[in-house]
Amino acid sequence: MKKLKALKVGVVGATGMVGKSFMETLEQRKFPVAELRPFASESSLGKMISLQGRSYACQVLKPGCFEGLDLVFFSSGDDISRDWAPQAVKAGAWAVDNSNAWRMESGISLVVPEVNGDLLKNQNQPQIIANPNCTTMQLVVALNPLQKKFGLEAVRVASYQAVSGAGQPGHDELMDQVRDFDKNPNPTPKAFAHPILFNAIPEIGSFNDLGYTSEEMKVMSETKKILRTPDLRVSAFTVRVPVLNSHAEAVWVTLKHETTREDVIAALQAGEGLVTEADPRKYPTQRQVSGQDPVYVGRIHQDISEPRTWMMWVVSDNIRKGAALNGIQIAEQIEAFWL
Amino acid sequence: MKKLKALKVGVVGATGMVGKSFMETLEQRKFPVAELRPFASESSLGKMISLQGRSYACQVLKPGCFEGLDLVFFSSGDDISRDWAPQAVKAGAWAVDNSNAWRMESGISLVVPEVNGDLLKNQNQPQIIANPNCTTMQLVVALNPLQKKFGLEAVRVASYQAVSGAGQPGHDELMDQVRDFDKNPNPTPKAFAHPILFNAIPEIGSFNDLGYTSEEMKVMSETKKILRTPDLRVSAFTVRVPVLNSHAEAVWVTLKHETTREDVIAALQAGEGLVTEADPRKYPTQRQVSGQDPVYVGRIHQDISEPRTWMMWVVSDNIRKGAALNGIQIAEQIEAFWL
């Protein structure tokens, strides 16, 4: 049986929420790490990061910092990824990038292993591999088996997104608003445009001239790229809700062919990385799936207004499968890393 | 100028959230009340309710209790309305019913004054008038001007519904979970199927065999009845979120004719009871609209995947316009009440 080589791994953004989840997930999956090189901002310089019984000091990015590494995971914002991911590749490392910087570049693979992991086959040359947006991630894992079995015509999604999608500042802002509620019921927002406690905010990212947010544009363009369905009609309405972790999505998916509920359920149940709750009375919730690897789907039912359209509720941990885990799954699938 | 008569008004469910909002709204609108007869359960017997400088003792429902009243507002659950609304009519009072008991009965008017208030014209005989579900209410106020101007082909709505929709117990459960979070981060739910703090629950009401909830069925059937569009395709996905008050809705509306953003905005701006935010970068939030009368709509933009479809964010106070205020507006429009 082939065995994953022990790798020298860099993590850019090691002290952020996704960085921390990346370490945790490496640990849980017993991913063989020969050396960890954690990168963070100046303020974390020298901070120790523990992994698999060893400790590693945080470094700052500087020329030559990736020398000798096999893989660098980037989770530190678009600008850093745009500048530094090519440096990692030049140094001979694979760059798995969790930012938006490279996802839609032609020639860059945007990968969810369960969906289009085949893109990593026969690739032995270090390169940038992009990790999709977390909201896209769980959506395509649920759409993939339906696309394969029935073909997709249109997808509409309204999201219920956790504050952890805005990183530690988002998480802390909601927690502070909860703890201070009696003293300060109308807090001044910082991480979000409005108080997030007891509110839903239909603004994630920045607005474009079409009236969409950047988050919505990502979901629409990335979904088509990953599913390799450039003509698929995708429409997203993304909303931040006062949930600490995991994103939920109300999805309408119009299939190319009419089918039965049994066949839709069977297709979803065969979907990779997907846990399907067939009983429409049960359904996953964001609290339940936090800390779990799979994407969960429930409330699967036919749209009574349109027979080829099916409705479902898709929930997943946006930090784990939505970011860190997917990066590790990509690393696990890169053939060059196997003995 | 005609003047509204001073009326003798009964309120069934006077101590509930909607009942309280009903009193508040009577007060604010200076609705002329000659006598108030508040009804509540045994446990509130004798409790005093203040209105317009006078106090009234809570009574329990009993035969003859509606004698002499002009109007009875019901907000106490389906069973009580089914049994007692006909008694009010027999006693010579108009019954404005906020429950689900009568809404879809043929021959019963289901009224949102801004949309189909004409149904109240030339009706001088006391009868049951149904108040729609709160989620339907704000949706039809926003759809009405689009239906009139362009015709509607299909509507899809995903909701973000406040806990106040589940009454005082729903409100208290979220508040308790907020205040106890540090001591009890995983509370046992009572009013909802799961902890509502930091969660979104796609279950409002009970499930039917189609996989829809009763809340979703209400939105779909009531919308068609109020807009008088039996062939309209409506599909609803209703979700409870940890928001204290006001419902929000992500709406996709497909018009019969292609049009421009300017014309859609102009139609909405002319809509009765509707406040339209034309700047897509601004939008109403649940916190902002709580305590306000109108329905608010923002984030109005064309679906880039389908030119006849428009997306919008509709927000309104579910207790106020969604229940109490609409009941009072119905009372204000009943012609028999004018001198």
Side-chain angles (χ1 to χ4, degrees):
Chain A
M1 208 172 111
K2 283 173 82 183
K3 208 180 142 197
L4 197 61
K5 285 182 206 170
L7 301 183
K8 297 183 178 173
V9 177
V11 179
V12 178
T15 57
M17 287 190 91
V18 172
K20 283 181 197 162
S21 176
F22 192 81
M23 308 302 173
E24 256 176 49
T25 312
L26 287 174
E27 193 97 47
Q28 286 176 9
R29 293 175 82 88
K30 301 185 170 58
F31 186 100
V33 176
E35 180 198 328
L36 177 73
R37 213 174 288 170
F39 297 96
S41 60
E42 293 259 351
S43 60
S44 296
L45 189 63
K47 193 183 163 187
M48 301 305 290
I49 302 282
S50 295
L51 181 70
Q52 299 173 351
R54 281 178 292 168
S55 277
Y56 304 91
C58 280
Q59 311 183 11
V60 293
L61 292 169
K62 61 185 174 213
C65 66
F66 300 129
E67 290 302 322
L69 293 178
D70 300 302
L71 176 94
V72 183
F73 180 73
F74 286 84
S75 181
S76 210
D78 299 352
D79 291 344
I80 287 179
S81 291
R82 190 160 289 285
D83 291 347
W84 290 91
Q87 301 299 321
V89 172
K90 266 189 206 153
W94 293 71
V96 177
D97 181 26
N98 194 49
S99 86
N100 187 46
W102 298 97
R103 290 173 186 157
M104 296 307 298
E105 291 281 315
S106 71
I108 296 285
S109 295
L110 177 64
V111 177
V112 180
E114 296 91 335
V115 179
N116 62 349
D118 57 287
L119 294 178
L120 299 172
K121 288 210 192 309
N122 309 316
Q123 302 275 15
N124 280 298
Q125 191 68 26
Q127 58 189 275
I128 298 170
I129 307 289
N131 222 18
N133 170 282
C134 47
T135 310
T136 309
M137 185 87 70
Q138 62 190 70
L139 182 62
V140 294
V141 169
L143 292 177
N144 181 47
L146 299 176
Q147 157 64 14
K148 278 187 181 155
K149 188 81 184 279
F150 309 107
L152 303 184
E153 186 175 291
V155 175
R156 292 203 171 88
V157 54
S159 71
Y160 301 71
Q161 296 187 221
V163 294
S164 61
Q168 198 69 49
H171 180 279
D172 294 348
E173 186 151 318
L174 176 55
M175 278 311 307
D176 288 348
Q177 291 178 359
V178 163
R179 294 206 166 109
D180 295 350
F181 178 71
D182 283 314
K183 274 177 291 179
N184 187 17
N186 296 303
T188 304
K190 276 173 287 185
F192 305 107
H194 300 271
I196 183 63
L197 178 65
F198 304 146
N199 222 359
I201 304 176
E203 177 182 359
I204 303 180
S206 54
F207 283 102
N208 70 11
D209 289 343
L210 299 168
Y212 281 98
T213 63
S214 51
E215 181 82 355
E216 289 158 352
M217 294 305 292
K218 289 176 195 175
V219 173
M220 299 190 288
S221 53
E222 294 176 18
T223 297
K224 290 191 267 195
K225 179 167 177 172
I226 297 166
L227 293 175
R228 290 172 275 210
T229 52
D231 298 330
L232 180 63
R233 293 193 281 120
V234 188
S235 176
F237 209 131
T238 64
V239 180
R240 188 78 69 193
V241 293
V243 167
L244 287 175
N245 195 47
S246 297
H247 292 347
E249 297 172 350
V251 181
W252 283 261
V253 50
T254 306
L255 306 179
K256 284 199 172 146
H257 306 288
E258 216 170 309
T259 183
T260 64
R261 183 166 190 280
E262 287 61 36
D263 284 351
V264 168
I265 299 281
L268 290 169
Q269 282 175 332
E272 217 183 321
L274 190 61
V275 174
T276 301
E277 176 52 64
D279 182 346
R281 286 162 178 78
K282 295 178 183 168
Y283 45 81
T285 68
Q286 283 145 295
R287 272 181 171 256
Q288 289 165 343
V289 314
S290 285
Q292 306 297 318
D293 284 351
V295 173
Y296 293 80
V297 59
R299 289 219 58 200
I300 302 141
H301 58 292
Q302 192 171 29
D303 184 335
I304 54 172
S305 80
E306 201 176 75
R308 284 191 292 114
T309 298
W310 293 81
M311 298 164 74
M312 55 189 190
W313 178 247
V314 179
V315 192
S316 186
D317 186 327
N318 55 304
I319 298 293
R320 198 178 178 90
K321 177 56 187 170
L325 171 63
N326 196 70
I328 293 171
Q329 288 173 314
I330 288 172
E332 288 171 349
Q333 292 216 355
I334 292 174
E335 296 202 355
F337 295 161
W338 292 81
L339 294 170
Chain B
M1 206 171 113
K2 282 173 82 183
K3 207 180 142 196
L4 196 60
K5 283 184 205 168
L7 300 183
K8 297 183 178 174
V9 177
V11 180
V12 179
T15 57
M17 286 189 90
V18 172
K20 283 180 197 164
S21 176
F22 192 81
M23 309 302 172
E24 255 176 52
T25 313
L26 285 175
E27 193 97 48
Q28 286 176 10
R29 293 175 84 88
K30 301 186 169 60
F31 187 100
V33 176
E35 180 199 329
L36 177 73
R37 212 174 290 171
F39 297 96
S41 60
E42 293 259 353
S43 61
S44 297
L45 189 63
K47 195 183 162 188
M48 299 306 288
I49 302 283
S50 295
L51 182 69
Q52 299 174 349
R54 280 179 292 169
S55 278
Y56 304 91
C58 281
Q59 313 184 10
V60 293
L61 292 169
K62 60 185 175 213
C65 67
F66 301 128
E67 289 302 323
L69 293 177
D70 299 301
L71 175 93
V72 184
F73 181 72
F74 287 83
S75 182
S76 211
D78 299 352
D79 291 345
I80 286 179
S81 290
R82 190 159 290 285
D83 292 347
W84 290 91
Q87 301 300 322
V89 173
K90 265 188 208 156
W94 293 72
V96 177
D97 182 25
N98 195 49
S99 85
N100 187 47
W102 298 96
R103 290 172 186 158
M104 295 308 298
E105 292 281 316
S106 70
I108 297 283
S109 296
L110 177 64
V111 177
V112 180
E114 296 90 335
V115 179
N116 62 350
D118 57 287
L119 294 178
L120 298 172
K121 288 211 190 310
N122 310 315
Q123 302 275 14
N124 280 298
Q125 192 66 27
Q127 58 189 277
I128 297 170
I129 307 289
N131 222 17
N133 169 283
C134 46
T135 310
T136 308
M137 185 86 71
Q138 63 190 69
L139 182 62
V140 295
V141 169
L143 292 177
N144 180 47
L146 299 176
Q147 157 65 13
K148 277 187 181 154
K149 188 78 183 278
F150 310 107
L152 303 184
E153 187 176 290
V155 175
R156 292 203 170 89
V157 55
S159 71
Y160 300 72
Q161 295 187 222
V163 294
S164 61
Q168 198 69 50
H171 181 278
D172 294 349
E173 185 151 318
L174 175 56
M175 279 311 306
D176 288 349
Q177 291 178 359
V178 163
R179 294 205 166 109
D180 295 350
F181 177 71
D182 283 314
K183 275 178 289 180
N184 187 17
N186 296 304
T188 304
K190 275 173 285 184
F192 305 108
H194 299 272
I196 183 63
L197 177 65
F198 303 146
N199 221 0
I201 304 177
E203 177 182 359
I204 303 180
S206 54
F207 283 102
N208 69 11
D209 289 342
L210 300 169
Y212 280 98
T213 62
S214 50
E215 181 81 356
E216 289 158 353
M217 295 305 293
K218 288 176 196 176
V219 174
M220 298 190 288
S221 53
E222 293 176 19
T223 297
K224 290 192 268 192
K225 179 167 178 172
I226 297 165
L227 294 175
R228 291 172 275 208
T229 53
D231 297 329
L232 180 63
R233 294 193 281 119
V234 188
S235 176
F237 208 130
T238 64
V239 180
R240 188 78 69 193
V241 293
V243 167
L244 287 175
N245 195 47
S246 297
H247 292 346
E249 297 172 349
V251 180
W252 283 261
V253 50
T254 307
L255 306 178
K256 285 200 170 144
H257 306 288
E258 216 169 308
T259 183
T260 63
R261 182 166 190 281
E262 287 61 38
D263 284 350
V264 169
I265 298 281
L268 290 169
Q269 282 175 332
E272 216 183 321
L274 191 60
V275 174
T276 301
E277 176 51 65
D279 183 346
R281 286 160 178 79
K282 295 178 186 169
Y283 46 82
T285 68
Q286 283 146 295
R287 272 181 172 256
Q288 289 165 343
V289 313
S290 286
Q292 305 298 317
D293 285 350
V295 173
Y296 293 81
V297 58
R299 287 218 60 200
I300 302 141
H301 59 293
Q302 192 171 29
D303 184 337
I304 54 171
S305 79
E306 202 177 75
R308 283 192 291 115
T309 298
W310 293 82
M311 299 163 74
M312 55 189 191
W313 177 249
V314 178
V315 192
S316 186
D317 185 328
N318 56 303
I319 298 293
R320 199 176 177 91
K321 176 56 187 169
L325 171 62
N326 197 71
I328 292 170
Q329 288 173 313
I330 288 173
E332 288 171 349
Q333 292 215 354
I334 292 174
E335 296 201 355
F337 296 160
W338 292 81
L339 295 170

